[in-house]
Amino acid sequence: MKGERGSIIFRLLVLLLLCLFASIIYLARHPLLRTAAQFWIVQDSIEPADIIIVLGDDDFAAHRTTEAAVLFRARWAPAVVASGRMLRPYASIADFMARDLGSQGVPESAIIRFSHRAGNTLEEAEGLRVLITEKGWRRILLVTSNYHARRARYIFRKVLPASVSVEVAGASDPEFQPDTWWESRQGRKTFFLETVGYLVAIWELREQRPSSSGGNQPSTGALFWGLLTGRSPQTAENQALFSLHR
């Protein structure tokens, strides 16, 4: 009887502790959710750079290009790269971004359009690595959305040569408010996708170290496509085919 009574008391104590823990989590849910959002947002100390690179895709109100223009006007770098996906054979998001930069005081001579067919941040970084190596840039100021800043910095620091320094400036995005992101469908979607994207980036780059050369290696997705089709993902023609099948 005593053993039975002791077992019941123990179970009741465990249940009470679980209820207490759940209550604490519920009461502290907003600070915890804010802390989770703040993890993705990084803002490096800004130093003079060789180039500002603003990543695509920018939002409807052009917050990324606006942040890049502010940094350019503050003379943190002498030029801006507008990086964006091809939308048609004759137009890309980079063209729209370049127009936005021009409307905000960046002269045409200081804008470098970088149109590409990358399907994700890793492929975009691999493409930009070639441009960065060709130009001999050593100090990069990367501009992207606030929620995307940590993942972008992680990927670029892994992909670019060790001799290239990368600092990130996060632009605010009205679709992701760190203090209330869980209250909107778009905020929850952005947080979830960014979490998954960061984990995927860690997995894809788990064995990669910053390279000492600027050679362009295909991403995991491109290699997988090559295995499926028997084609090399390194040629320009087959990279285009890979992009069409994304």
Side-chain angles (χ1 to χ4, degrees):
M1 292 293 293
K2 288 184 178 179
E4 242 179 76
R5 188 179 303 167
S7 176
I8 292 172
I9 292 173
F10 175 76
R11 290 176 184 175
L12 285 173
L13 286 173
V14 170
L15 181 61
L16 285 172
L17 287 173
L18 287 174
C19 290
L20 179 62
F21 178 74
S23 299
I24 292 172
I25 293 297
Y26 177 78
L27 293 173
R29 66 191 186 282
H30 290 169
L32 290 173
L33 291 170
R34 291 189 192 100
T35 301
Q38 290 297 334
F39 174 78
W40 299 122
I41 300 172
V42 294
Q43 187 75 35
D44 293 326
S45 58
I46 298 175
E47 298 180 359
D50 297 326
I51 192 71
I52 296 168
I53 298 178
V54 54
L55 300 180
D57 296 340
D58 204 352
D59 60 17
F60 184 79
H63 284 87
R64 295 185 186 184
T65 50
T66 297
E67 180 69 16
V70 169
L71 294 169
F72 174 83
R73 293 196 303 269
R75 300 185 179 181
W76 287 110
V80 182
V81 172
S83 174
R85 293 180 296 112
M86 294 294 300
L87 299 175
R88 297 287 188 275
Y90 50 83
S92 71
I93 291 176
D95 297 325
F96 295 109
M97 294 166 71
R99 181 173 179 175
D100 292 333
L101 288 168
S103 68
Q104 298 189 59
V106 182
E108 182 67 28
S109 59
I111 300 173
I112 301 171
R113 290 174 172 83
F114 184 77
S115 301
H116 56 76
R117 300 187 67 178
N120 52 54
T121 305
L122 176 54
E123 292 175 5
E124 187 174 11
E126 289 170 342
L128 283 164
R129 177 176 58 186
V130 177
L131 176 66
I132 290 167
T133 302
E134 288 175 351
K135 297 291 187 179
W137 294 324
R138 288 292 176 265
R139 295 169 299 174
I140 308 299
L141 182 52
L142 203 64
V143 178
T144 186
S145 298
N146 54 5
Y147 61 82
H148 184 237
R150 183 175 294 276
R151 178 160 63 100
R153 183 177 67 176
Y154 175 81
I155 290 173
F156 274 80
R157 286 182 176 178
K158 281 282 191 177
V159 169
L160 296 181
S163 58
V164 177
S165 67
V166 178
E167 306 300 334
V168 175
S172 62
D173 191 310
E175 293 187 348
F176 185 78
Q177 298 295 335
D179 291 337
T180 57
W181 64 267
W182 60 90
E183 295 179 357
S184 70
R185 182 179 183 276
Q186 185 59 44
R188 294 190 296 270
K189 179 181 176 182
T190 298
F191 182 86
F192 174 76
L193 292 177
E194 197 58 35
T195 301
V196 173
Y198 191 67
L199 293 174
V200 169
I202 291 174
W203 173 256
E204 288 189 319
L205 297 168
R206 64 193 181 281
E207 296 178 355
Q208 184 162 334
R209 297 289 182 270
S211 60
S212 57
S213 65
N216 190 19
Q217 298 297 321
S219 67
T220 301
L223 288 172
F224 182 65
W225 169 248
L227 288 173
L228 288 176
T229 62
R231 294 170 172 165
S232 169
Q234 296 188 0
T235 66
E237 178 184 0
N238 289 335
Q239 280 182 346
L241 286 171
F242 168 65
S243 295
L244 288 172
H245 287 78
R246 292 282 301 174

